[in-house]
Amino acid sequence: MSNISIRREGDIAVVVPVGEMDAIASPELADVIDGLLGERPARGIVVDLAKVSFCDSRCIGVLVAAYRQARDLGVGLRTADPQQQVNRLFVISGIDQIIPVEATVDEAVGALSG
């Protein structure tokens, strides 16, 4: 079971999933992001991937769907600080060409605040 926390940095929501984002945990991530988008965050959402050790195709699907939903609502969504294995999956699958991937949460927050 995953552990997902949310913190606020000004008007940016930072979502921090921990552990493996697989077929079991990914729907929880989707629910968290859907809830935030339902609240219409002023600026955007950052998904902090620093503590995600594994991400499968279901997780990728959740992130892409969330990115498109956010974009349609005029809300920015970025990912930040993926571990090497997760980042490699993003590059191989081309997700890094769709969803902005920042090196740090601060950079992602800054990009959305600008």
Side-chain angles (χ1 to χ4, degrees), residues 17 37 50 66 68:
L37 290 172
R68 290 185 172 139

Side-chain angles (χ1 to χ4, degrees), residues 38-49:
E39 294 170 18
R40 301 287 308 237
R43 292 281 182 142
I45 298 170
V46 174
V47 181
D48 179 357
L49 298 171

Side-chain angles (χ1 to χ4, degrees), residues 44-110:
I45 298 170
V46 174
V47 181
D48 179 357
L49 298 171
K51 296 179 180 159
V52 173
S53 56
F54 174 79
C55 179
D56 69 3
S57 60
R58 181 84 180 261
C59 172
I60 296 284
V62 164
L63 290 172
V64 171
Y67 176 78
R68 290 185 172 139
Q69 183 182 357
R71 183 193 59 205
D72 291 348
L73 292 169
V75 174
L77 185 144
R78 291 178 181 252
T79 59
D81 199 13
Q83 290 187 19
Q84 186 176 2
Q85 179 182 358
V86 173
N87 192 57
R88 188 178 311 128
L89 177 64
F90 278 27
V91 171
I92 291 169
S93 64
I95 295 308
D96 63 323
Q97 302 298 311
I98 299 169
I99 303 172
V101 180
E102 304 294 344
T104 67
V105 171
D106 287 347
E107 287 180 24
V109 169

